[in-house]
Amino acid sequence: LLVKRGAKVTLVFKANGLTLTTIGQALANGADGDIVDVLNLQSRRTVSGTVRAHDQVEVGLVHSRIAQLQETN
């Protein structure tokens, strides 16, 4: 496992040559390529992202939209 539930992880957003990072807390275990939910500790919102490295989850517009749809169901 690269991400363990409850661990602090780096959330990475990449778009058009821009990279933004923040800290989150993993809500599930995940291996490379798995999609996991992460609590963004700054905004207190849950986002979904793809595990890319040890304690690193990549998020993007597609993952954010999926998380929003799941919250409304």
Side-chain angles (χ1 to χ4, degrees), residues 16-32:
N16 300 326
L18 178 69
T19 301
L20 302 173
T21 62
T22 190
I23 301 298
Q25 183 174 13
L27 300 177
N29 293 330
D32 187 34

Side-chain angles (χ1 to χ4, degrees), residues 1 5 17 25 33 35 37-38 56 71-72:
L1 293 176
R5 183 173 192 250
Q25 183 174 13
I35 295 176
D37 287 337
V38 179
Q56 183 177 321
E71 287 179 5
T72 60

Side-chain angles (χ1 to χ4, degrees), residues 36-65:
V36 296
D37 287 337
V38 179
L39 177 65
N40 180 326
L41 295 178
Q42 186 173 12
S43 69
R44 305 304 295 174
R45 295 185 124 196
T46 299
V47 297
S48 295
T50 305
V51 176
R52 294 293 183 210
H54 179 70
D55 291 335
Q56 183 177 321
V57 177
E58 184 175 345
V59 295
L61 298 176
V62 173
H63 295 302
S64 297
R65 183 67 182 138

